[in-house]
């Protein structure tokens, strides 16, 4: 049996020169550094994980700096101790930087699944081999551009689209109406306004959006405005879900469910602390008759971690496919794309199943360091 003792960790903050996008009229173009963790064992296995760090100006060192503090606790340990390590590491940094925990936890799961010789989704449970996908758009110039872009996505095979938009109801709702007029009944649509509406705007919006049969209305209010969400759901015929980046604690999520705030839960395994806590969040949703609509917005490693979870279990209806593709595929030898029937499929290899172009990663690396010896 191969020695699973972890003896080295490499951290890369990668800033490729790719297209930059935004999701609101008052948001600048977003620079997307990718934090990548590479864990290696004495027996020769490698586990990887990636988490996008979105910033307007320069790369954020908080994740990399926190990893520098946490990774010595991982050296000398085994990926078969994932639960123990997650609880131990969770107590070691205040305030917490959940993405740092996420990277370690996902890389440990990648290692464990590779040791078992299984794709991660089968190692976790293997509920299915494919899941429906929706195209997640950037902010476009006009409602006409949205109509045109949705037409292109439909031709590519997409059967669902989520709009990122101006986050101004005076512009957003006419755009939704225009796309509905062109493609209503042919595709599913979601609207994401990035927590930027006021309560008054959100209350008006759910009335005005009612005729357009949205699959869900995402992040109309800040996630922490639980009373606002409770009131909004009482007024809405459209399913309401949060952004999923702020409330990551199980007990707070349970309270939000009790209050009737959301129609589904929403998190990203690369933000919420990894595979270990996200499984528990999905179980909480299932216990309350809800789905947990995982985010997948980010580079291929981020997409893969969340895809394996939604294939391992059944209570997630959609994979979020960032579009256009190229900006999100940098450094990946295996990419995840929607097929002509509107589905994405499990990567074929063991673990996350994503091969990494390490020369490309190193070329775009802004900062790197290693922990351990080799």
């Amino acid at each position: 049996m191969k020695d699973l003792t972890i003896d080295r960790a490499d951290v890369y903050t990668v800033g490729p020169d790719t297209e930059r996008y935004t999701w609101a009229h008052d948001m600048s173009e977003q620079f997307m550094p990718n934090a990548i963790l590479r864990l290696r064992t004495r027996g020769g296995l490698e586990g990887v994980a990636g988490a996008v760090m979105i910033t307007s100006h320069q790369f954020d060192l908080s994740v990399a700096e926190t990893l520098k503090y946490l990774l010595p606790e991982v050296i000398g340990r085994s990926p078969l101790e994932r639960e123990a390590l997650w609880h131990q590491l969770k107590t070691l940094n205040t305030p917490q930087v959940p993405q740092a925990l996420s990277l370690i936890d996902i890389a440990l799961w990648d290692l464990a699944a590779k040791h078992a010789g299984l794709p991660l989704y089968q190692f976790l449970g293997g509920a299915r081999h494919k899941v429906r996908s929706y195209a997640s758009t950037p902010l476009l110039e006009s409602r006409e551009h949205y109509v045109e872009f949705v037409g292109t996505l439909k031709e590519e095979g997409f059967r669902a689209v989520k709009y990122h938009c101006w986050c101004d109801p005076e512009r957003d709702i006419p755009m939704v109406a225009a796309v509905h007029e062109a493609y209503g009944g042919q595709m599913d649509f979601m609207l994401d306004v990035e927590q930027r509406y006021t309560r008054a705007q959100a209350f008006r919006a759910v009335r005005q959006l009612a005729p357009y049969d949205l699959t869900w209305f995402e992040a109309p209010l800040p996630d922490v405005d639980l009373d606002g969400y409770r009131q909004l759901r009482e007024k809405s015929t459209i399913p309401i879900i949060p952004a999923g980046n702020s409330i990551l604690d199980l007990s707070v999520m349970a309270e939000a469910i009790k209050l009737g705030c959301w129609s589904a839960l929403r998190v990203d395994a690369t933000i919420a602390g990894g595979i270990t806590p996200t499984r528990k969040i999905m179980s909480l949703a299932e216990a309350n008759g809800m789905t947990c609509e995982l985010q997948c917005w980010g580079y291929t490693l981020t997409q893969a971690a969340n895809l394996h979870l939604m294939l391992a279990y059944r209570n997630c209806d959609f994979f979020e496919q960032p579009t256009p593709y190229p900006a999100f595929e940098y450094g990946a030898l295996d990419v995840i794309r929607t097929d002509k029937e509107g589905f994405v499929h499990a990567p074929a290899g063991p673990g996350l199943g994503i091969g990494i172009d390490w020369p490309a990663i190193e070329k775009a690396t802004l900062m790197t360091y290693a922990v351990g010896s080799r």
Side-chain angles (χ1 to χ4, degrees):
M1 182 177 291
K2 290 185 177 180
D3 189 343
L4 290 180
T5 304
I6 297 164
D7 65 351
R8 183 180 172 98
D10 293 274
V11 176
Y12 306 83
T13 299
V14 185
D17 185 15
T18 59
E19 183 114 15
R20 301 183 185 185
Y21 298 107
T22 186
W23 314 286
H25 71 92
D26 57 351
M27 179 188 291
S28 60
E29 290 184 344
Q30 300 299 289
F31 180 40
M32 299 188 304
N34 195 18
I36 296 178
L37 174 62
R38 186 184 193 183
L39 295 181
R40 294 188 253 193
T41 70
R42 290 176 187 166
L45 283 179
E46 289 190 3
V48 296
V52 69
M53 301 177 292
I54 300 169
T55 176
S56 298
H57 303 293
Q58 61 185 11
F59 63 93
D60 181 1
L61 289 178
S62 61
V63 174
E65 290 300 314
T66 302
L67 282 169
K68 191 178 293 185
Y69 174 56
L70 297 178
L71 283 170
E73 303 295 323
V74 179
I75 301 299
R77 303 291 291 274
S78 165
L80 303 184
E81 303 174 281
R82 298 178 300 280
E83 184 80 15
L85 274 167
W86 189 84
H87 283 282
Q88 176 185 342
L89 296 175
K90 187 181 178 184
T91 66
L92 293 182
N93 59 308
T94 302
Q96 289 185 29
V97 181
Q99 280 185 301
L101 288 172
S102 298
L103 286 164
I104 293 172
D105 187 71
I106 293 166
L108 291 171
W109 278 97
D110 186 38
L111 273 173
K114 285 174 177 172
H115 175 63
L118 293 171
L120 179 55
Y121 79 98
Q122 291 183 337
F123 186 68
L124 287 165
R128 50 189 169 176
H129 302 285
K130 63 180 182 179
V131 65
R132 292 183 67 195
S133 169
Y134 66 81
S136 189
T137 78
L139 173 63
L140 302 177
E141 292 182 15
S142 67
R143 72 183 74 170
E144 292 78 16
H145 283 88
Y146 280 93
V147 172
E148 180 181 355
F149 189 49
V150 169
T152 300
L153 294 168
K154 185 173 184 290
E155 290 176 2
E156 292 177 0
F158 284 99
R159 299 293 179 265
V161 175
K162 185 177 81 175
Y163 316 111
H164 287 104
C165 52
W166 299 276
C167 301
D168 172 2
E170 299 303 316
R171 302 182 71 183
D172 300 339
I173 295 169
M175 178 273 291
V176 171
V179 178
H180 180 81
E181 183 177 354
Y183 299 106
Q186 302 174 52
M187 304 175 75
D188 292 318
F189 295 102
M190 304 85 158
L191 176 64
D192 182 355
V193 297
E194 297 290 337
Q195 306 180 78
R196 279 174 153 75
Y197 282 8
T198 65
R199 284 191 185 184
Q201 288 173 325
F203 294 162
R204 286 196 301 271
V206 293
R207 293 195 302 270
Q208 295 170 333
L209 291 167
Y212 305 122
D213 195 28
L214 291 175
T215 299
W216 70 61
F217 185 18
E218 182 175 329
L221 301 171
D223 283 358
V224 295
D225 185 6
L226 296 183
D227 192 55
Y229 270 105
R230 179 190 60 78
Q231 294 181 51
L232 185 63
R233 275 200 74 205
E234 290 175 352
K235 299 174 184 293
S236 179
T237 59
I238 304 165
I240 303 292
I241 71 171
N245 298 322
S246 302
I247 295 180
L248 306 175
D249 182 82
L250 276 173
S251 61
V252 179
M253 289 184 185
E255 183 64 21
I257 292 171
K258 188 187 303 183
L259 291 171
C261 297
W262 307 315
S263 306
L265 296 185
R266 183 166 177 80
V267 291
D268 178 337
T270 70
I271 294 174
I275 302 288
T276 296
T278 305
R279 294 170 76 205
K280 298 172 184 180
I281 292 167
M282 294 182 78
S283 295
L284 175 65
E286 185 175 19
N288 285 276
M290 303 166 71
T291 62
C292 182
E293 296 301 332
L294 298 176
Q295 296 180 53
C296 307
W297 200 97
Y299 292 101
T300 302
L301 283 173
T302 291
Q303 297 172 36
N306 288 290
L307 175 57
H308 278 283
L309 275 164
M310 62 182 68
L311 294 175
Y313 312 112
R314 287 193 175 273
N315 67 320
C316 179
D317 288 338
F318 288 97
F319 173 83
E320 181 176 18
Q321 178 83 76
T323 56
Y325 296 111
F328 303 95
E329 295 177 346
Y330 184 87
L333 297 175
D334 306 281
V335 297
I336 300 167
R337 290 199 174 185
T338 299
D339 69 17
K340 293 296 185 181
E341 284 72 48
F343 289 88
V344 290
H345 298 256
L352 292 175
I354 304 299
I356 304 300
D357 183 348
W358 291 112
I361 294 299
E362 290 167 2
K363 180 180 178 181
T365 291
L366 304 171
M367 184 274 289
T368 186
Y369 64 84
V371 177
S373 60
R374 178 156 298 209

